[in-house]
Amino acid sequence: MMERMAAEFIENRTYSEIRVGDSASLTRTLRPEDIQLFAVMSGDVNPAHVDPQYAHSSMFHEVIAHGMWGGALISTVLGTEFPGPGTIYIGQTLRFSRPVKVGDTITVRITCKQKFDHNKHMIFDCLCTNQDGLKVIAGEAEVLAPTDKIKRPRVELPAVTISDREGRYRRLMARAKGLTPAIAAFAHPYHAESLRSAAIARDEGILRPVLVAPEAKLRAFAEQNGIDLRDCRILDAPHSHAAVARAVAMARAGEAEMLVQGSLPTHEFLMPVVARDGLRAERRLSHVLYLDVPGHPRPIIISDMMVNIEPTLEHKVDIVQNAIDFAHMMGIADPKVALLAGVDTVRPRMRATLDAAALCKMADRGQIVGGVLDGPLGFDNAVSIVSARTAHLKSAVAGNADVLIAPDLESGNMLAKQLEHLADAISGGVVLGGRVPIVLANRGDSVESRVASLVLSLLVTRRSK
């Protein structure tokens, strides 16, 4: 009870109350969002702090904190605890011994070294150490200590969310710059968002849309919704199922480089796709979802959340390989693949953990190539270096996963939608494993998400060639 009451107030220690040798400490763990917030506040966008790709090639091999993030923690102790409110900074010296990386826990200890009665100045030794007890920052601070006692209610700070949705969306769009537009067959796009995505992709120079649908009905619908169909080729089809069949035939004959779902439900749309005379190839079809999540240092790829309901181990081999191939197309040379489960250890009664262990061994034997696999891993330990280090997981994948393989469609679908709707993630997806990339869409998907999927499909089309 006393600890809770103390936390509600901020109280100083006056010059007369402090003795030489007295000390106070503060402990903080560095999170990715701490680095981003410090960069936004200071304007310091040194790539060693904010560019994971550059940081990986630097002498530290990963993103590190701004040096003054640790210095700010020293200021926090001096201004809020020891001496506390009323303290005036006079001077500070700092020497940096080693970098602070995401997940490191830093302890700041401030010790009174000297007092000067004539002007109430004090000198403090300042030492910052990491979770291994190694010195990170050391120095001295000189302050004018308070002489009057101050006790005030502790101010509750507002939560801060860092989001640059438009910027992240434009960065994804920019990946299509310079690529030749692809011919895309839209199967019965009798849906406003579907038609708008086709028009935007056309205007952005991403696609040359071919709209397969009842022509008169489609033109009336487009006019009703204010959508310009200029430069869109329209192929007349009597109804939705005929439209899908015609679009699949175009893709199979090489007349279309990608297939795009329109208003037909997914299970009905996929039936002619997976039929014997459809678009199946050697590998099983699977869906990969690309997510750019605010605050996370890198995009995440999730599979499978739309095609394979309860995949077997054999199915998961293709799902993993498709996801690795997609990561390569997105510029990730050696993707780290986390095989998700509810626990991080193999449990005979939990099939997801057995499949994860088997997939890792298959990768060791060359049956899955191009990526680094680890699992079973919980979601937290797959994406959070802080959680992984807390759990004492020694793994190249844990905390640094580029690809998340869900144990089944339900878990993958729920995970993806949580990130989209609660974490403000930019998302786009494409089905791989067929003769051409296939874009699926839920009826509630935004135009932004649909266009992102078209961009990804174009990247797959061009880079696979």
Side-chain angles (χ1 to χ4, degrees), residues 248-261:
V248 170
M250 287 182 64
R252 186 175 177 85
E255 298 171 4
E257 297 171 276
M258 68 179 73
L259 178 65
V260 185
Q261 178 186 5

Side-chain angles (χ1 to χ4, degrees), residues 339-345 347 350 352-353 376-381 407:
L339 306 161
L340 298 184
V343 295
D344 301 303
T345 54
R347 302 284 181 87
M350 296 180 68
T353 68
L377 287 173
F379 175 75
D380 53 347
N381 291 329

Side-chain angles (χ1 to χ4, degrees), residues 10-302:
I10 181 170
E11 184 175 359
N12 68 359
R13 293 173 65 181
T14 64
Y15 179 87
S16 61
E17 291 176 327
I18 297 174
R19 301 287 180 262
V20 172
D22 288 354
S23 65
S25 63
L26 172 71
T27 299
R28 290 285 188 274
T29 298
L30 179 68
R31 305 168 300 169
E33 53 265 39
D34 295 328
I35 297 177
Q36 292 179 317
L37 189 59
F38 198 95
V40 171
M41 178 273 295
S42 65
D44 184 350
V45 291
N46 182 333
H49 310 307
V50 298
D51 185 341
Q53 185 175 0
Y54 170 85
H56 183 72
S57 64
S58 71
M59 63 183 294
F60 302 117
H61 305 299
E62 60 182 293
V63 166
I64 61 173
H66 300 78
M68 289 312 297
W69 178 78
L73 296 183
I74 294 173
S75 177
T76 298
V77 179
L78 292 171
T80 63
E81 296 187 30
F82 186 61
T87 300
I88 305 297
Y89 239 133
I90 302 299
Q92 176 81 67
T93 62
L94 296 173
R95 187 173 184 83
F96 301 90
S97 300
R98 51 180 39 83
V100 179
K101 301 178 180 181
V102 174
D104 283 353
T105 298
I106 304 302
T107 298
V108 181
R109 180 164 292 278
I110 308 297
T111 304
C112 180
K113 181 179 180 181
Q114 287 180 277
K115 298 178 64 176
F116 302 93
D117 292 339
H118 69 284
N119 61 3
K120 301 300 186 287
H121 283 205
M122 306 179 79
I123 294 179
F124 293 90
D125 278 330
C126 308
L127 178 64
C128 302
T129 56
N130 64 17
Q131 66 277 2
D132 298 318
L134 300 175
K135 180 169 64 176
V136 174
I137 304 173
E140 286 188 347
E142 181 179 354
V143 305
L144 171 61
T147 55
D148 297 325
K149 197 69 176 173
I150 299 173
K151 182 177 181 180
R152 300 287 297 172
R154 184 177 293 272
V155 175
E156 291 291 335
L157 296 176
V160 178
T161 301
I162 301 174
S163 179
D164 180 18
R165 188 174 185 87
E166 180 62 24
R168 288 180 287 123
Y169 177 66
R170 297 314 306 180
R171 282 194 294 273
L172 177 59
M173 294 287 290
R175 301 188 73 142
K177 187 176 181 180
L179 298 180
T180 304
I183 300 173
F186 286 73
H188 201 257
Y190 193 71
H191 183 267
E193 280 69 23
S194 181
L195 270 185
R196 287 195 179 95
S197 68
I200 291 172
R202 173 204 62 203
D203 294 342
E204 294 281 349
I206 297 168
L207 302 179
R208 288 187 285 160
V210 179
L211 312 179
V212 189
E215 182 172 359
K217 183 178 177 182
L218 185 69
R219 289 190 181 279
F221 181 79
E223 184 176 355
Q224 179 183 349
N225 286 274
I227 302 170
D228 185 355
L229 297 184
R230 74 181 189 282
D231 298 329
C232 289
R233 181 184 174 196
I234 300 178
L235 295 182
D236 192 31
H239 50 72
S240 60
H241 290 82
V244 174
R246 177 76 180 275
V248 170
M250 287 182 64
R252 186 175 177 85
E255 298 171 4
E257 297 171 276
M258 68 179 73
L259 178 65
V260 185
Q261 178 186 5
S263 60
L264 202 66
T266 299
H267 68 282
E268 295 183 36
F269 171 77
L270 285 176
M271 285 179 63
V273 172
V274 299
R276 188 175 299 274
D277 59 347
L279 299 177
R280 295 171 65 178
E282 293 182 5
R283 234 183 256 167
R284 188 174 184 84
L285 296 179
S286 65
H287 183 269
V288 290
L289 185 74
Y290 176 94
L291 289 149
D292 187 342
V293 185
H296 196 69
R298 68 187 66 82
I300 297 173
I301 297 167
I302 296 178

